Amino acid sequence: MKFLKVLINSLISGIFFCCLLSLLISDLNINLRFDLVFFFQLVLFLFITYGLFFSFLSFILFFIIQFFSGRKFKILIISPSFLSISSSLIIFLFILIFKANQSYFLSFFDLEIQKILNTQSTILLVIAILGLITFYSSNRYKKNVLFYWIYFPLLLASIIYVVNQRYLYPVHLKPVKVASIQAKKIDKKITIIGLEGLSFDFLIPLIDDGKLPNFSWIMENGSWGKLENFSPNEPLILNNSFNTGKLPAKHRQISLYKYHILNASKTIEITPRFILFWQLTRTDLLRIAPNNIPASTKDIWKILEGNKIPFIKRDWPYGLQITKPSQKADKLFDLYFKELKYEPSDIFNIVKQAFYRDFEYKEKVSQEKSATQPQLIYFLLSGLNTVETYFYKYNYPDLFGNIDQEDIIKYSSIIEKYYQFYDQIIGKYLASLKEDDVLVIYSPHGIEALPLWKRIVEWILGHTEVSAYHEHAPEGVILFYGKEIVRGKNIEGMNLIDIAPTLLNYLGLPVGKDMDGIVNSSIFVEEFRMENPVLYISSYEEITIKSPE
């Protein structure tokens, strides 16, 4: 009978934990209109996985604690003491998960939502502490049930209040056009080259060794610095923030995928981190599908279109599949990696595919440039980030323990060679730059070593060669070069979302006050700043750009 009593109380604890996880999922999915029916559908789904696991854990812990205490615990079918202590411990665990997710997804939440989240966590913390006090007081005062009659109604009221806070999320409404501005003729030209994974950790030592002459030239004759960004450090999110000058809380493009939960009435876009939730996609419990949400904000490219400014934009998603590399690409690859020309390993094939894709991608842009003569060119290359992900450990073997010395000798120059490949690309654009042109080179993030716990997870998942990542938003790189750019300036505190408003200012176009990024005018020479003050409008979403008659 005792077995059954412990099981019933453990199952109640598991259901309670699932209610809290359902709240977390609802909080993270900012595009989801809160629905109580869907909330309980989530609870049911979570109970099948996390609830049963947590119930089993609670059940086992009860008997372990009883064994080591040396006495038998009495327990009721619905045990106030069991549930008060378990609810408190569950809430403490949940707050750790909650705060870790809140920190990681902070860019999703505006100040109003942050206030709601802080209210939720504060109330939960207070009720968890109260649960411990109730358990202690009841046992101290001869198991007085009065304390439980006070605590459990407070617990229920607190949970209802905390869940109800999700209804207070601001509704994201489509702006109404209330004004118009005249399109402006622009004569200036800009070339933007995105090099994903570019990092000063590699860049500075290679420049000091004289191996990157073109990067060195730009740093001596232009403005440069670390580029700050945010998490989640996913391509879709970073790309939209770069294009709009806004954080995800405003542009709302937060996931490439949507997730179907059994037969639930709605889908979610964001899965919580730190509890292996995403791994449920390996089963039929959580099904994944492409997420096609139309843009709700006007990015810099729509602004350029409105002003009749011709441009080339070739960025993520790349959409370029290389079935067979060109002879030119093969020849250049052999030039950079001639020592490894006949290397048969699968890991080196990753370098080949990344190199061929980058080469063909930049060649395609070059051909379009010659054909259309645009005023603004933007392309993004991702090969370096891929190469660093797999070969980082060969440049920093001390961080990874036992690595074969032969592999270190063989592979330690690969990242260096890839930087030299990019340096050559930069050199060609520098050579073709006209007097009034500006060249912008940036990386949306850097790269850092995979920590031990993450390496273990990747090993379990079968990704044994991965040694670096950028999940926690390591700083990227930003470089500006041109006649109007200050020479030899180290830029401080520039963020990814500052690039769009800064470029709008350079082009003489107004900046939206609703942009999260700011104009970094310190990169421009004083004469330019005096002649081109920053112009503002309330929001590009609220205006129409009228073409000249």
Side-chain angles (χ1 to χ4, degrees), residues 457-468:
V457 172
E458 294 293 346
W459 179 80
I460 293 171
L461 297 177
H463 307 149
T464 57
E465 297 295 342
V466 173
S467 61

Side-chain angles (χ1 to χ4, degrees), residues 22 142 223 447 485:
S22 182
K142 300 179 181 179
S223 294
I447 198 81
I485 304 298

Side-chain angles (χ1 to χ4, degrees), residues 269-368:
E269 295 177 294
I270 300 300
T271 58
R273 288 174 56 82
F274 313 113
I275 57 172
L276 299 178
F277 190 94
W278 194 86
Q279 298 305 320
L280 294 177
T281 56
R282 295 169 178 261
T283 71
D284 287 335
L285 296 175
L286 190 66
R287 301 189 306 278
I288 189 170
N291 188 27
N292 300 313
I293 293 187
S296 60
T297 54
K298 186 180 289 185
D299 61 26
I300 189 173
W301 312 107
K302 293 294 183 183
I303 297 169
L304 295 178
E305 282 181 358
N307 285 277
K308 305 300 182 184
I309 300 172
F311 63 85
I312 293 173
K313 174 179 175 285
R314 296 291 176 264
D315 59 349
W316 187 93
Y318 307 104
L320 182 64
Q321 300 295 327
I322 306 300
T323 53
K324 184 179 180 181
S326 65
Q327 187 176 3
K328 189 176 180 182
D330 246 340
K331 185 176 180 181
L332 190 63
F333 183 83
D334 290 344
L335 178 65
Y336 281 106
F337 300 99
K338 56 185 176 183
E339 302 91 347
L340 296 167
K341 183 175 181 179
Y342 301 108
E343 171 62 33
S345 64
D346 291 337
I347 190 173
F348 186 65
N349 192 52
I350 293 172
V351 182
K352 288 183 178 181
Q353 294 304 313
F355 186 94
Y356 292 149
R357 187 179 66 242
D358 278 355
F359 180 85
E360 300 296 350
Y361 209 71
K362 67 99 178 173
E363 285 291 290
K364 186 177 179 181
V365 170
S366 182
Q367 293 166 8
E368 288 185 73

